[in-house]
Amino acid sequence: MPGITEEWKLNLTENKLKYFFRIFSFDRKMKSWRNGRDVHSLPILVGETEFEIEIYPNGINKKDRGHVSVYLRNKSDWKVKLEMEVEVGNKKTRDTFDIQSKESWGWPTFYDHDDLGKDDDAMDAHGMLDVSATISLMWREVTEARNDSEISMKECKCKAEVEGLRSEVGDLKMKIESLETNLVSQLSRAIDQSVDKSLTAKFKTLEVSSKKASLPCPECPICFEEMKPPTRIIQCRSGHLVCQKCKERPQVVICPTCKQEFTGRAIGMENYLKTILG
């Protein structure tokens, strides 16, 4: 939640990750927030299942007032079984449980307010609370054939997008080659008509600059800056691109275009841009 939290994640395996959650002004939230009001994390993907951590500063229900409640919500369309370990300062607990689709499970009286106030490792002098959660997905339910169909459709869509990108790159190469041919032809005629050596040098400079100035360059969808060399480019599972500076922002954990996880650097695109832009 921008302005309220800072969040990080560490992928341990395909179906296991550790999530770090820092909540600002938590001491005030414990005192002033009504029970049932929560601070929730950004969407968390473990495998193909989407979760959300919910922290209730003053309990999830009336009977839990005076406690911090910690829950995990299953935002996906299937039931899951998982193991979750939550650590806040000196308080640590672990359990294995099932969560139905669109429901939450957790600990309503995870940490007593009085005990939390005495735990210097949990909340600092500015009232910031640090929470870490390790989520291990054990299995997910397949309730209908459409779940697999949806996955197949997503895979087909990704493949279509990749093929579309390849086609666009091919068209771009053809346009660049045509542009280069036209520029060389025009500049050659102009140079042949000139006897001034200095004018010849100027035309050659114009040839190079015209090529580079007219070439399209992808923009980062977050900062809207062109990702020209030597910018490092990161891609998601669907092939969408962002610059590495924006990817390294703590709040950018998934692709802003398709909400998929990032897979690493787009080395091919970086090399291609180096080739055409220098």
Side-chain angles (χ1 to χ4, degrees), residues 244-258:
Q244 187 175 32
K245 287 185 178 179
C246 290
K247 167 61 178 65
E248 290 175 346
R249 297 181 185 179
Q251 62 268 38
V252 179
V253 296
I254 55 175
C255 174
T257 303
C258 67

Side-chain angles (χ1 to χ4, degrees), residues 18 57 59 99 121 124 152 210 242:
K18 189 163 188 177
I99 311 182
D121 294 327
D124 66 10
S152 298
S210 297
V242 300

Side-chain angles (χ1 to χ4, degrees), residues 49-249:
T49 305
E50 184 174 331
F51 297 101
E52 188 177 82
I53 297 175
E54 301 170 335
I55 308 292
Y56 296 84
N58 198 20
I60 188 172
N61 296 308
K62 246 183 195 181
K63 60 186 178 62
D64 305 318
R65 293 188 67 175
H67 294 84
V68 177
S69 303
V70 179
Y71 278 76
L72 184 69
R73 172 168 287 274
N74 176 13
K75 300 187 71 179
S76 300
D77 296 326
W78 46 80
K79 177 182 175 181
V80 297
K81 182 178 181 125
L82 56 85
E83 181 184 79
M84 182 176 179
E85 179 181 274
V86 178
E87 183 174 359
V88 177
N90 296 318
K91 179 84 168 180
K92 181 189 292 187
T93 189
R94 176 191 299 173
D95 206 344
T96 300
F97 46 87
D98 300 344
I99 311 182
Q100 298 288 343
S101 170
K102 312 302 181 186
E103 293 186 3
S104 300
W105 193 98
W107 299 271
T109 57
F110 177 78
Y111 217 154
D112 181 271
H113 284 185
D114 292 336
D115 294 336
L116 179 59
K118 301 172 185 176
D119 189 345
D120 295 334
D121 294 327
M123 192 160 50
D124 66 10
H126 301 289
M128 291 191 300
L129 183 76
D130 287 332
V131 181
S132 70
T134 302
I135 304 170
S136 303
L137 183 63
M138 303 172 73
W139 54 255
R140 52 154 286 190
E141 179 185 30
V142 180
T143 55
E144 297 180 14
R146 66 188 172 116
N147 287 331
D148 291 331
S149 299
E150 288 171 358
I151 294 172
S152 298
M153 288 176 62
K154 289 179 181 178
E155 291 176 348
C156 291
K157 184 178 179 181
C158 290
K159 290 179 181 178
E161 289 177 350
V162 171
E163 291 300 323
L165 181 59
R166 287 175 179 169
S167 177
E168 290 176 3
V169 171
D171 292 340
L172 181 60
K173 286 182 178 179
M174 292 178 62
K175 289 179 182 178
I176 292 171
E177 291 172 356
S178 176
L179 178 62
E180 288 177 341
T181 301
N182 291 336
L183 284 173
V184 170
S185 177
Q186 293 174 12
L187 290 170
S188 296
R189 285 197 298 268
I191 291 172
D192 289 340
Q193 295 171 1
S194 176
V195 295
D196 188 340
K197 291 183 179 181
S198 63
L199 183 60
T200 300
K202 290 180 181 179
F203 271 116
K204 288 183 178 179
T205 302
L206 176 63
E207 176 186 1
V208 174
S209 62
S210 297
K211 288 179 185 177
K212 293 184 177 180
S214 60
L215 297 177
C217 181
E219 289 184 350
C220 173
I222 298 174
C223 65
F224 302 107
E225 293 290 335
E226 289 187 339
M227 294 185 284
K228 294 180 178 179
T231 301
R232 291 192 172 187
I233 303 174
I234 307 299
Q235 67 183 357
C236 73
R237 288 183 177 179
S238 298
H240 300 124
L241 307 175
V242 300
C243 69
Q244 187 175 32
K245 287 185 178 179
C246 290
K247 167 61 178 65
E248 290 175 346
R249 297 181 185 179

